[in-house]
Amino acid sequence: MIYGTCTTASKSLSFKTLVLQKSFNFRVQFFSNCSPKKLRMDNNLNCSIEGNKKGSRGALVVLEGLDRSGKSSQCTRLVNYLEGQRISAELWRFPDRNTDVGKMISAYLTNTSQLDDHTIHLLFSANRWEKRLLMETKLKSGTTLVVDRYSYSGVAFSSAKGLDIEWCKASEVGLLAPDLVAYLDISPEKAAERGGYGGERYEKLEFQKKVAESYKAIHDVSWKFVDAFQPIEDVEKQLQEIVIDCVTECQKGKKPLSLLWSK
């Protein structure tokens, strides 16, 4: 009887030990899986997935216009304004004269080299293509790009020289489409009165008149026209108002990226 009792007690103790051991192992595993570090990682992953679902991104804002319409100064002011609103923003310019292609373009624009009209058009286009991937990466990371001239300038200036407008567009198809195009509207005559006019190849009054006509042929209803002859502060304020609305819309994920002149 004593032997039997000890055996029963021993079995009972072994059972309890097994249960306690499993319970302990479960708790260790549970708290290991739910450690603060893992919880933070899980939360970050969930936030990342949620952010991707929302499609929040930076905006692609393009300023266009005739030479000496004030694009460069307004682009700089616009980036400063956005940064003041705690919005990540960068200023881009086309042509980008720092690349290999850009250096060839710069030589042409400063009259130190001569190129066929078709050739220079394709070089301008190539200059935009070589920045396309970086542009998309920046936008998807949440950075707004304020761009001084884009594909529209390429088409307007080349078609003003007599090239077929559809041929000019062809090399630009597939580049990223802007979320906003702001056209700084000024007459060629008024632009010619501004300081520094005539320093580069295209800054000739008669040619700028042709460029103005080309812009009229390629613009669409989505463009925002801003009177560039009004005081610089008024131009700045008007641009801020239309750009901040566009940036907010992109941040909310309401505008997916699209391609330029795609059907």
Side-chain angles (χ1 to χ4, degrees):
M1 291 294 294
I2 294 174
Y3 177 79
T5 300
C6 290
T7 302
T8 303
S10 177
K11 288 182 177 179
S12 177
L13 181 61
S14 297
F15 177 76
K16 289 181 178 179
T17 301
L18 180 61
V19 171
L20 289 172
Q21 182 64 43
K22 287 185 175 181
S23 177
F24 176 77
N25 289 341
F26 173 78
R27 289 196 297 271
V28 170
Q29 184 66 32
F30 175 80
F31 285 109
S32 175
N33 291 340
C34 296
S35 65
K37 182 177 180 181
K38 182 172 179 57
L39 287 174
R40 285 195 298 269
M41 290 175 65
D42 288 345
N43 285 337
N44 289 339
L45 179 60
N46 289 337
C47 289
S48 177
I49 293 173
E50 186 65 23
N52 288 337
K53 286 181 179 178
K54 290 180 179 179
S56 177
R57 63 176 179 84
L60 179 53
V61 177
V62 172
L63 267 63
E64 289 283 2
L66 300 178
D67 290 347
R68 304 296 166 178
S69 59
K71 298 179 309 306
S72 297
S73 60
Q74 288 299 339
C75 281
T76 300
R77 288 167 176 255
L78 192 51
V79 169
N80 290 337
Y81 165 73
L82 292 173
E83 291 178 337
Q85 301 299 310
R86 297 184 178 180
I87 295 171
S88 176
E90 290 185 7
L91 171 58
W92 284 31
R93 288 190 175 94
F94 285 111
D96 180 346
R97 305 192 190 202
N98 296 316
T99 70
D100 290 338
V101 173
K103 291 173 183 177
M104 295 173 67
I105 295 171
S106 183
Y108 172 82
L109 291 176
T110 54
N111 294 299
T112 57
S113 73
Q114 300 297 323
L115 293 170
D116 170 78
D117 289 341
H118 292 82
T119 303
I120 190 61
H121 176 83
L122 293 175
L123 285 176
F124 270 103
S125 184
N127 190 230
R128 288 182 279 274
W129 275 103
E130 62 184 344
K131 301 297 290 290
R132 186 202 182 285
L133 182 59
L134 179 59
M135 176 179 283
E136 184 173 354
T137 300
K138 290 280 187 180
L139 292 171
K140 287 183 176 179
S141 72
T143 300
T144 286
L145 303 180
V146 177
V147 184
D148 182 352
R149 294 202 181 283
Y150 196 50
S151 297
Y152 309 102
S153 282
V155 174
F157 278 71
S158 290
S159 60
K161 290 188 282 186
L163 300 187
D164 179 74
I165 197 166
E166 293 304 319
W167 183 88
C168 294
K169 283 183 177 182
S171 58
E172 309 288 324
V173 173
L175 290 172
L176 295 179
D179 298 296
L180 171 67
V181 179
Y183 183 81
L184 299 189
D185 194 15
I186 190 172
S187 70
E189 291 81 6
K190 292 296 182 182
E193 294 173 2
R194 294 185 169 179
Y197 193 88
E200 289 197 333
R201 182 183 294 265
Y202 293 141
E203 292 180 346
K204 303 291 184 290
L205 180 57
E206 290 307 312
F207 181 72
Q208 290 290 313
K209 289 179 180 180
K210 294 178 181 179
V211 172
E213 291 301 314
S214 293
Y215 270 123
K216 290 180 181 179
I218 63 174
H219 88 274
D220 59 48
V221 294
S222 68
W223 287 29
K224 305 295 184 182
F225 280 71
V226 178
D227 181 3
F229 191 61
Q230 60 184 326
I232 191 170
E233 293 79 13
D234 293 341
V235 175
E236 180 181 10
K237 183 177 180 181
Q238 191 172 345
L239 284 172
Q240 289 174 358
E241 291 174 352
I242 60 178
V243 168
I244 197 66
D245 288 342
C246 174
V247 171
T248 301
E249 193 174 25
C250 291
Q251 287 179 333
K252 291 180 178 179
K254 294 183 177 180
K255 292 191 70 173
L257 285 172
S258 59
L259 301 181
L260 185 66
W261 289 315
S262 58
K263 296 181 180 180

